[in-house]
Amino acid sequence: MKLIVDLHLHSKYSRATSKDMDLEGMYHWGKIKGINVIGTADFTHPEWFAELREKLEPAEPGLFKLKDEITEELDKKIPESCRKNLLRFILTVEISNIYSKNDRVRKLHNVVIVPSFEVASYINSELDKIGNLKADGRPILGMDSKELLKITLASDPGSLFIPAHIWTPWFAMFGSKSGFNSIKEAFEELAPEIKAVETGLSSDPFMNWRLSELDGITLVSNSDAHSPRNLGREANVINAKLDYFDIINAIKTGDERFVGTIEFFPQEGKYHYDGHRSCDVSFSPKETLKHHGICPKCGKPLTMGVDYRVNELANRPYDYRPKKHKQVEYIVPLATIISEVVGVKTKTSQKVIQVYDQLISNFGDEFGILRTIKTNKIKDKYPQIALAIEKMRHRDVLIEPGYDGVYGVVKIFKPGELDRGQQLGFGI
Ligand SMILES: [Zn+2]
Ligand SMILES: [Zn+2]
């Protein structure tokens, strides 16, 4: 069965994460979004780990579900259209590795995925020797990423290690600030054990295909959500059995079971272009080269974005496409689409939430609405939204790239194209 899988997110125990990121919130929003397999996040955190053990129970091999006595109550608040959606949990965590290697400080984030509480316990006991697991749901450990990979490999043949959002300037394997220039440099003789990498919000498969070093490595996408409404903003589509080992093997081998990824437009990510947030300077890699990497306003070096960094490490041209590749689908979150159509800036405004809830109740989960529903079905009542979804599916959007920590902006309609004087059809 085709599963939508989101393996990298955070619980309320991680810094700067919503208090609603508990199992109940993940369950509620996982169903509304239409995610089938979701990471628990943060299994190294002792309190969270205890909560996971208490509230989850084994379902299929390596997969867990929230206990019935909990879901009975939660289901009452989930629109009927989404209540029957399948949702399973997988034990996951992201570790922040900070260490020095080859005379430079390295900061890498890595995701570890395991098949059982026993394996998670083993990893927790190993990591507990190295640093404080209580301080943050995403623990900061003074250990080489390679050592974490070793522990993961020793923990169980079914465990999986994935370098996270590999292109972000800080905290990433290929990051311009504190990463490496190759997988080999980071993991040495264990480099062949890297079976998958996470492309992150600021890059997409098209950009990653430009590095022959990544050939044969599965490019995965996850939401890295810190709040429930961001779950599934990127995800994987995996045609596997409802079984941890089948899902993880699909990722490890990248065979035909791994169908592809659902992507955020990479320009929307916070570090796509180069620039300075405080100087209001945003440059494409070409413009940066013209300015020799220096900000024309303050004279300091610019924060290089992902596009620039990919260009630096790539050994293939900009428009390179492999003959055979995985499916790549782009989405704009439904709340973003609604806010543009309604004409409000905040995605959490009453008006947006009201329309969002109506759409979900009438037509089912968000992924279904964005990806598969026949837009004829929504056209009568929501003509502009139907049009926006059509345009998104055809990648017919306008984008202002993000830079130096500022999110990019995606607009579906050109100025004047959206006639708000026309009937919007919201009944509001
Ligand atoms: Zn991270
Ligand atoms: Zn500046």
Side-chain angles (χ1 to χ4, degrees):
M1 64 200 300
K2 268 195 190 165
L3 301 166
I4 296 184
V5 179
D6 181 3
L7 297 171
H8 177 187
L9 47 133
H10 289 280
S11 82
K12 61 185 177 183
Y13 290 99
S14 279
R15 221 162 281 171
T17 299
S18 154
K19 61 173 177 21
D20 300 326
M21 281 299 255
D22 49 16
L23 284 168
E24 291 79 1
M26 292 172 189
Y27 177 87
H28 181 89
W29 281 98
K31 289 214 166 188
I32 288 176
K33 294 277 176 176
I35 299 167
N36 305 119
V37 178
I38 189 169
T40 59
D42 301 358
F43 74 64
T44 49
H45 193 276
E47 270 172 71
W48 181 239
F49 191 60
E51 198 172 323
L52 296 178
R53 290 206 104 143
E54 183 197 316
K55 293 183 175 170
L56 294 177
E57 61 184 15
E60 301 77 14
L63 300 177
F64 298 87
K65 64 191 194 70
L66 204 49
K67 286 182 176 164
D68 289 344
E69 68 237 42
I70 304 171
T71 57
E72 257 166 46
E73 276 310 300
L74 294 176
D75 282 343
K76 289 179 191 158
K77 289 197 182 134
I78 294 175
E80 231 179 297
S81 60
C82 303
R83 215 172 282 165
K84 288 211 169 69
N85 283 356
L86 172 96
L87 184 71
R88 294 290 185 260
F89 288 89
I90 278 187
L91 294 166
T92 63
V93 66
E94 182 188 39
I95 310 279
S96 180
N97 293 81
I98 301 186
Y99 54 104
S100 140
K101 190 163 186 157
N102 306 338
D103 299 324
R104 270 186 66 186
V105 175
R106 314 290 177 163
K107 299 178 183 174
L108 271 70
H109 284 183
N110 297 294
V111 174
V112 174
I113 303 165
V114 300
S116 70
F117 277 104
E118 289 66 39
V119 179
S121 287
Y122 166 78
I123 289 183
N124 289 349
S125 66
E126 288 300 304
L127 299 184
D128 197 39
K129 297 174 197 161
I130 292 155
N132 186 356
L133 300 181
K134 289 187 207 87
D136 196 334
R138 175 181 57 208
I140 299 168
L141 299 177
M143 77 187 297
D144 195 314
S145 297
K146 187 183 159 192
E147 293 308 309
L148 179 63
L149 172 58
K150 264 190 204 164
I151 292 174
T152 308
L153 292 171
S155 70
D156 191 276
S159 300
L160 177 61
F161 177 103
I162 304 177
H165 43 72
I166 55 170
W167 292 105
T168 49
W170 287 277
F171 307 113
M173 183 172 74
F174 288 156
S176 57
K177 295 283 180 188
S178 47
F180 295 91
N181 290 330
S182 68
I183 300 180
K184 192 95 199 265
E185 194 189 351
F187 294 99
E188 297 164 84
E189 79 282 3
L190 291 183
E193 299 296 339
I194 302 297
K195 307 292 187 197
V197 297
E198 186 185 71
T199 57
L201 299 179
S202 301
S203 91
D204 63 4
F206 287 84
M207 296 163 74
N208 287 271
W209 291 332
R210 297 183 58 200
L211 276 80
S212 59
E213 194 192 358
L214 294 174
D215 291 353
I217 292 177
T218 308
L219 303 173
V220 301
S221 286
N222 298 298
S223 69
D224 201 354
H226 288 55
S227 63
R229 284 177 187 269
N230 280 337
L231 288 171
R233 59 185 165 174
E234 292 207 326
N236 309 286
V237 181
I238 301 178
N239 195 359
K241 279 184 275 185
L242 203 51
D243 176 323
Y244 171 95
F245 299 94
D246 208 42
I247 294 166
I248 296 301
N249 273 326
I251 298 175
K252 282 185 181 172
T253 61
D255 65 14
E256 67 284 350
R257 287 171 294 182
F258 191 90
V259 178
T261 51
I262 301 171
E263 301 280 328
F264 210 62
F265 284 96
Q267 298 86 344
E268 222 179 328
K270 287 191 279 191
Y271 293 101
H272 189 74
Y273 264 13
D274 317 316
H276 269 171
R277 184 209 294 242
S278 53
C279 301
D280 207 15
V281 167
S282 165
F283 283 164
S284 70
K286 253 195 189 156
E287 289 170 300
T288 300
L289 283 175
K290 235 194 283 166
H291 288 88
H292 308 288
I294 299 295
C295 172
K297 283 213 179 141
C298 71
K300 292 188 187 133
L302 294 163
T303 302
M304 301 305 185
V306 164
D307 212 13
Y308 187 92
R309 182 65 175 156
V310 171
N311 225 11
E312 212 167 47
L313 297 187
N315 59 344
R316 288 172 175 155
Y318 195 74
D319 52 1
Y320 174 83
R321 304 280 177 274
K323 275 205 187 85
K324 235 184 106 190
H325 62 75
K326 300 296 178 188
Q327 204 173 289
V328 185
E329 253 176 276
Y330 293 90
I331 54 163
V332 175
L334 186 56
T336 307
I337 294 178
I338 297 168
S339 60
E340 186 178 344
V341 169
V342 174
V344 294
K345 276 209 173 104
T346 43
K347 286 184 284 178
T348 46
S349 80
Q350 269 314 88
K351 226 173 173 180
V352 173
I353 290 174
Q354 199 181 339
V355 177
Y356 184 91
D357 291 348
Q358 285 173 13
L359 284 164
I360 296 291
S361 313
N362 286 321
F363 304 109
D365 60 70
E366 180 169 340
F367 273 131
I369 293 174
L370 294 177
R371 299 175 65 230
T372 53
I373 200 172
K374 291 212 170 61
T375 47
N376 284 345
K377 279 195 181 172
I378 30 181
K379 221 174 188 164
D380 283 350
K381 233 176 142 194
Y382 307 93
Q384 308 283 17
I385 294 204
L387 179 60
I389 290 172
E390 280 297 331
K391 281 167 73 70
M392 174 198 74
R393 288 180 186 170
H394 291 98
R395 301 182 190 174
D396 178 15
V397 299
L398 304 161
I399 308 169
E400 240 175 73
Y403 67 99
D404 196 22
V406 181
Y407 276 110
V409 182
V410 169
K411 287 247 177 294
I412 292 175
F413 296 99
K414 294 181 191 77
E417 195 181 356
L418 178 66
D419 182 3
R420 291 208 182 82
Q422 236 187 339
Q423 180 252 110
L424 289 177
F426 299 133
I428 52 172

